[in-house]
Amino acid sequence: LAKTTQPISMDSYEGQEVNITCSHNNIATNDYITWYQQFPSQGPRFIIQGYKTKVTNEVASLFIPADRKSSTLSLPRVSLSDTAVYYCLVGSGAGSYQLTFGKGTKLSVIP
Amino acid sequence: GAGVSQSPSNKVTEKGKDVELRCDPISGHTALYWYRQSLGQGLEFLIYFQGNSAPDKSGLPSDRFSAERTGGSVSTLTIQRTQQEDSAVYLCASSFTTGLTTDTQYFGPGTRLTVL
């Protein structure tokens, strides 16, 4: 499984756009990039997944450069309720079930 | 529909006792996973089921840990002779395996285990 590196923590004010970058230099051709969000005392929750270029859903956008060695999760206009830990994972379909969660990025949104 | 449920939500036990943790996956999900999360740490993979079989038990930390799944649905994680280092939140997840992309795993709320 490709190893990922992301910042341990980030602070942001309400209403700002937050970008969390994840490095995955050893990503394989078949690997997808997935982000999960975890609130305190809850299990992780899927946010977004992509393979290349840009993916957008109602919650976030995911930017993936051509070399795919990194990815950036973008949260538009964060609110206090976005305070959580965000995990970046890399894996392919078959056999990637063992999701390797690192320590993630703890995002603190400040009023 | 109903999400993944786990029981109990909290469990306090004495060192040396056995505990059983239960997971009810989302109906129709063939894959089931167990993870462990210690305070302030990321998730540690324990075991994966596809149907009733467990092709990967590599994450189980010791032979005190075992898990089973019956009827392709409910799973039980058993920890024998609990130790204080077993204290953690035990998370269960399930997914509908498509094999086409990394399957989204849906997590339960977890069981917080405290070993005194």
Side-chain angles (χ1 to χ4, degrees):
Chain A
L1 294 171
K3 180 179 178 179
T4 60
T5 302
Q6 52 184 125
I8 294 175
S9 64
M10 295 181 69
D11 294 335
S12 176
Y13 288 101
E14 275 193 292
Q16 289 188 328
E17 178 184 80
V18 172
N19 296 309
I20 306 174
T21 297
C22 178
S23 296
H24 28 79
N25 291 320
N26 297 323
I27 190 168
T29 302
N30 295 333
D31 285 343
Y32 281 75
I33 300 156
T34 310
W35 286 79
Y36 281 76
Q37 173 191 54
Q38 186 177 26
F39 296 114
S41 301
Q42 295 185 27
R45 183 182 69 144
F46 171 88
I47 300 177
I48 197 166
Q49 182 180 88
Y51 183 79
K52 63 180 179 180
T53 63
K54 177 183 175 182
V55 179
T56 297
N57 61 21
E58 65 277 6
V59 176
S61 293
L62 179 60
F63 297 92
I64 305 169
D67 65 7
R68 304 201 324 122
K69 293 184 182 298
S70 67
S71 59
T72 299
L73 174 72
S74 181
L75 305 171
R77 299 178 298 281
V78 294
S79 64
L80 295 177
S81 63
D82 292 317
T83 294
V85 178
Y86 293 82
Y87 297 96
C88 163
L89 299 94
V90 173
S92 60
S96 71
Y97 46 80
Q98 186 187 130
L99 292 183
T100 302
F101 287 78
K103 294 187 179 181
T105 297
K106 184 175 182 179
L107 173 65
S108 298
V109 180
I110 306 165
Chain B
V4 177
S5 61
Q6 294 185 244
S7 61
S9 56
N10 281 286
K11 177 70 176 180
V12 180
T13 189
E14 294 180 346
K15 178 181 175 181
K17 300 285 189 180
D18 298 350
V19 296
E20 284 189 355
L21 311 180
R22 176 188 169 104
C23 172
D24 281 271
I26 293 172
S27 178
H29 280 191
T30 58
L32 185 147
Y33 318 79
W34 283 98
Y35 294 86
R36 178 169 72 173
Q37 187 170 35
S38 300
L39 186 63
Q41 301 297 310
L43 275 71
E44 175 189 4
F45 169 81
L46 297 178
I47 190 170
Y48 153 72
F49 287 93
Q50 182 60 254
N52 289 336
S53 63
D56 189 349
K57 302 179 181 180
S58 63
L60 294 178
S62 76
D63 58 7
R64 297 186 296 106
F65 288 72
S66 63
E68 64 176 14
R69 188 181 186 193
T70 55
S73 181
V74 172
S75 176
T76 302
L77 177 69
T78 302
I79 309 173
Q80 296 178 311
R81 305 181 301 282
T82 53
Q83 303 295 313
Q84 290 183 332
E85 60 263 29
D86 299 334
S87 296
V89 176
Y90 289 82
L91 289 157
C92 174
S94 69
S95 69
F96 180 68
T97 304
T98 64
L100 296 178
T101 64
T102 304
D103 301 313
T104 299
Q105 295 190 14
Y106 296 85
F107 284 80
T111 294
R112 181 175 297 278
L113 175 66
T114 303
V115 182
L116 302 177

mmCIF file of all heavy atoms in Angstrom, chain B residues 6-26:
data_model
loop_
_atom_site.group_PDB
_atom_site.id
_atom_site.type_symbol
_atom_site.label_atom_id
_atom_site.label_comp_id
_atom_site.label_asym_id
_atom_site.label_seq_id
_atom_site.Cartn_x
_atom_site.Cartn_y
_atom_site.Cartn_z
ATOM 1 N N GLN B 6 -22.803 -1.202 16.231
ATOM 2 C CA GLN B 6 -21.886 -1.949 17.061
ATOM 3 C C GLN B 6 -22.403 -1.959 18.492
ATOM 4 O O GLN B 6 -23.008 -0.995 18.948
ATOM 5 C CB GLN B 6 -20.482 -1.322 17.037
ATOM 6 C CG GLN B 6 -19.794 -1.402 15.686
ATOM 7 C CD GLN B 6 -18.375 -0.880 15.738
ATOM 8 O OE1 GLN B 6 -18.038 0.111 15.098
ATOM 9 N NE2 GLN B 6 -17.536 -1.558 16.503
ATOM 10 N N SER B 7 -22.121 -3.045 19.164
ATOM 11 C CA SER B 7 -22.504 -3.124 20.568
ATOM 12 C C SER B 7 -21.471 -3.920 21.346
ATOM 13 O O SER B 7 -20.827 -4.826 20.786
ATOM 14 C CB SER B 7 -23.894 -3.775 20.706
ATOM 15 O OG SER B 7 -23.880 -5.094 20.189
ATOM 16 N N PRO B 8 -21.283 -3.598 22.628
ATOM 17 C CA PRO B 8 -21.823 -2.407 23.285
ATOM 18 C C PRO B 8 -21.108 -1.146 22.819
ATOM 19 O O PRO B 8 -20.087 -1.220 22.157
ATOM 20 C CB PRO B 8 -21.538 -2.697 24.766
ATOM 21 C CG PRO B 8 -20.266 -3.488 24.729
ATOM 22 C CD PRO B 8 -20.372 -4.359 23.504
ATOM 23 N N SER B 9 -21.632 -0.003 23.180
ATOM 24 C CA SER B 9 -20.950 1.236 22.816
ATOM 25 C C SER B 9 -19.756 1.470 23.734
ATOM 26 O O SER B 9 -18.751 2.057 23.318
ATOM 27 C CB SER B 9 -21.916 2.421 22.889
ATOM 28 O OG SER B 9 -22.508 2.504 24.171
ATOM 29 N N ASN B 10 -19.893 1.036 24.961
ATOM 30 C CA ASN B 10 -18.804 1.133 25.932
ATOM 31 C C ASN B 10 -18.697 -0.175 26.695
ATOM 32 O O ASN B 10 -19.715 -0.791 27.017
ATOM 33 C CB ASN B 10 -19.048 2.267 26.925
ATOM 34 C CG ASN B 10 -18.720 3.624 26.354
ATOM 35 O OD1 ASN B 10 -17.564 3.975 26.204
ATOM 36 N ND2 ASN B 10 -19.743 4.371 26.009
ATOM 37 N N LYS B 11 -17.464 -0.566 26.983
ATOM 38 C CA LYS B 11 -17.244 -1.775 27.750
ATOM 39 C C LYS B 11 -16.062 -1.562 28.693
ATOM 40 O O LYS B 11 -14.969 -1.217 28.251
ATOM 41 C CB LYS B 11 -16.953 -2.960 26.825
ATOM 42 C CG LYS B 11 -16.635 -4.269 27.531
ATOM 43 C CD LYS B 11 -17.847 -4.850 28.217
ATOM 44 C CE LYS B 11 -17.526 -6.203 28.836
ATOM 45 N NZ LYS B 11 -18.727 -6.775 29.525
ATOM 46 N N VAL B 12 -16.315 -1.736 29.956
ATOM 47 C CA VAL B 12 -15.255 -1.661 30.947
ATOM 48 C C VAL B 12 -15.084 -3.058 31.528
ATOM 49 O O VAL B 12 -16.050 -3.682 31.955
ATOM 50 C CB VAL B 12 -15.590 -0.657 32.073
ATOM 51 C CG1 VAL B 12 -14.449 -0.618 33.092
ATOM 52 C CG2 VAL B 12 -15.843 0.730 31.505
ATOM 53 N N THR B 13 -13.865 -3.539 31.522
ATOM 54 C CA THR B 13 -13.611 -4.880 32.003
ATOM 55 C C THR B 13 -12.340 -4.910 32.828
ATOM 56 O O THR B 13 -11.542 -3.971 32.803
ATOM 57 C CB THR B 13 -13.495 -5.862 30.829
ATOM 58 O OG1 THR B 13 -13.466 -7.207 31.320
ATOM 59 C CG2 THR B 13 -12.211 -5.613 30.035
ATOM 60 N N GLU B 14 -12.178 -5.976 33.551
ATOM 61 C CA GLU B 14 -10.974 -6.130 34.358
ATOM 62 C C GLU B 14 -9.930 -6.916 33.576
ATOM 63 O O GLU B 14 -10.259 -7.807 32.783
ATOM 64 C CB GLU B 14 -11.311 -6.843 35.661
ATOM 65 C CG GLU B 14 -12.227 -6.047 36.581
ATOM 66 C CD GLU B 14 -12.535 -6.799 37.861
ATOM 67 O OE1 GLU B 14 -12.258 -8.017 37.920
ATOM 68 O OE2 GLU B 14 -13.065 -6.174 38.797
ATOM 69 N N LYS B 15 -8.714 -6.615 33.846
ATOM 70 C CA LYS B 15 -7.603 -7.324 33.217
ATOM 71 C C LYS B 15 -7.770 -8.826 33.412
ATOM 72 O O LYS B 15 -8.085 -9.289 34.508
ATOM 73 C CB LYS B 15 -6.284 -6.851 33.835
ATOM 74 C CG LYS B 15 -5.043 -7.549 33.312
ATOM 75 C CD LYS B 15 -3.800 -7.020 34.011
ATOM 76 C CE LYS B 15 -2.558 -7.801 33.590
ATOM 77 N NZ LYS B 15 -1.339 -7.312 34.291
ATOM 78 N N GLY B 16 -7.588 -9.567 32.307
ATOM 79 C CA GLY B 16 -7.691 -11.010 32.378
ATOM 80 C C GLY B 16 -9.036 -11.569 31.957
ATOM 81 O O GLY B 16 -9.161 -12.777 31.695
ATOM 82 N N LYS B 17 -10.044 -10.714 31.874
ATOM 83 C CA LYS B 17 -11.366 -11.157 31.455
ATOM 84 C C LYS B 17 -11.454 -11.232 29.938
ATOM 85 O O LYS B 17 -10.692 -10.597 29.213
ATOM 86 C CB LYS B 17 -12.436 -10.191 31.980
ATOM 87 C CG LYS B 17 -12.485 -10.055 33.481
ATOM 88 C CD LYS B 17 -13.127 -11.267 34.126
ATOM 89 C CE LYS B 17 -13.370 -11.001 35.613
ATOM 90 N NZ LYS B 17 -13.990 -12.177 36.275
ATOM 91 N N ASP B 18 -12.404 -12.014 29.448
ATOM 92 C CA ASP B 18 -12.677 -12.086 28.019
ATOM 93 C C ASP B 18 -13.793 -11.109 27.671
ATOM 94 O O ASP B 18 -14.703 -10.895 28.471
ATOM 95 C CB ASP B 18 -13.117 -13.495 27.615
ATOM 96 C CG ASP B 18 -12.046 -14.550 27.874
ATOM 97 O OD1 ASP B 18 -10.895 -14.166 28.192
ATOM 98 O OD2 ASP B 18 -12.364 -15.745 27.763
ATOM 99 N N VAL B 19 -13.730 -10.537 26.469
ATOM 100 C CA VAL B 19 -14.792 -9.640 26.000
ATOM 101 C C VAL B 19 -15.191 -10.009 24.577
ATOM 102 O O VAL B 19 -14.379 -10.516 23.807
ATOM 103 C CB VAL B 19 -14.383 -8.153 26.049
ATOM 104 C CG1 VAL B 19 -14.143 -7.702 27.483
ATOM 105 C CG2 VAL B 19 -13.170 -7.884 25.179
ATOM 106 N N GLU B 20 -16.441 -9.749 24.271
ATOM 107 C CA GLU B 20 -16.952 -9.949 22.914
ATOM 108 C C GLU B 20 -17.546 -8.646 22.409
ATOM 109 O O GLU B 20 -18.372 -8.024 23.089
ATOM 110 C CB GLU B 20 -18.033 -11.038 22.902
ATOM 111 C CG GLU B 20 -17.487 -12.438 23.002
ATOM 112 C CD GLU B 20 -18.570 -13.479 22.755
ATOM 113 O OE1 GLU B 20 -19.750 -13.100 22.609
ATOM 114 O OE2 GLU B 20 -18.222 -14.669 22.694
ATOM 115 N N LEU B 21 -17.140 -8.259 21.228
ATOM 116 C CA LEU B 21 -17.643 -7.044 20.603
ATOM 117 C C LEU B 21 -18.408 -7.456 19.352
ATOM 118 O O LEU B 21 -17.948 -8.280 18.573
ATOM 119 C CB LEU B 21 -16.486 -6.109 20.237
ATOM 120 C CG LEU B 21 -15.450 -5.854 21.345
ATOM 121 C CD1 LEU B 21 -14.370 -4.917 20.835
ATOM 122 C CD2 LEU B 21 -16.105 -5.301 22.587
ATOM 123 N N ARG B 22 -19.556 -6.814 19.144
ATOM 124 C CA ARG B 22 -20.427 -7.223 18.058
ATOM 125 C C ARG B 22 -20.553 -6.141 17.004
ATOM 126 O O ARG B 22 -20.571 -4.960 17.326
ATOM 127 C CB ARG B 22 -21.809 -7.562 18.617
ATOM 128 C CG ARG B 22 -22.862 -7.918 17.581
ATOM 129 C CD ARG B 22 -24.233 -8.044 18.224
ATOM 130 N NE ARG B 22 -25.298 -8.136 17.239
ATOM 131 C CZ ARG B 22 -25.923 -9.266 16.920
ATOM 132 N NH1 ARG B 22 -25.605 -10.399 17.514
ATOM 133 N NH2 ARG B 22 -26.883 -9.264 16.011
ATOM 134 N N CYS B 23 -20.669 -6.585 15.762
ATOM 135 C CA CYS B 23 -20.854 -5.659 14.644
ATOM 136 C C CYS B 23 -21.963 -6.157 13.732
ATOM 137 O O CYS B 23 -21.938 -7.311 13.300
ATOM 138 C CB CYS B 23 -19.558 -5.516 13.854
ATOM 139 S SG CYS B 23 -19.730 -4.564 12.320
ATOM 140 N N ASP B 24 -22.913 -5.269 13.447
ATOM 141 C CA ASP B 24 -23.968 -5.556 12.471
ATOM 142 C C ASP B 24 -23.716 -4.701 11.239
ATOM 143 O O ASP B 24 -23.910 -3.475 11.301
ATOM 144 C CB ASP B 24 -25.344 -5.232 13.041
ATOM 145 C CG ASP B 24 -25.850 -6.306 13.973
ATOM 146 O OD1 ASP B 24 -26.493 -7.225 13.468
ATOM 147 O OD2 ASP B 24 -25.584 -6.214 15.179
ATOM 148 N N PRO B 25 -23.297 -5.281 10.144
ATOM 149 C CA PRO B 25 -22.991 -4.474 8.964
ATOM 150 C C PRO B 25 -24.254 -4.028 8.242
ATOM 151 O O PRO B 25 -25.363 -4.456 8.577
ATOM 152 C CB PRO B 25 -22.193 -5.445 8.095
ATOM 153 C CG PRO B 25 -22.780 -6.784 8.437
ATOM 154 C CD PRO B 25 -23.109 -6.717 9.905
ATOM 155 N N ILE B 26 -24.059 -3.193 7.256
ATOM 156 C CA ILE B 26 -25.178 -2.771 6.414
ATOM 157 C C ILE B 26 -25.649 -3.984 5.610
ATOM 158 O O ILE B 26 -24.829 -4.732 5.068
ATOM 159 C CB ILE B 26 -24.758 -1.626 5.486
ATOM 160 C CG1 ILE B 26 -24.463 -0.374 6.321
ATOM 161 C CG2 ILE B 26 -25.825 -1.326 4.445
ATOM 162 C CD1 ILE B 26 -23.864 0.777 5.541
#
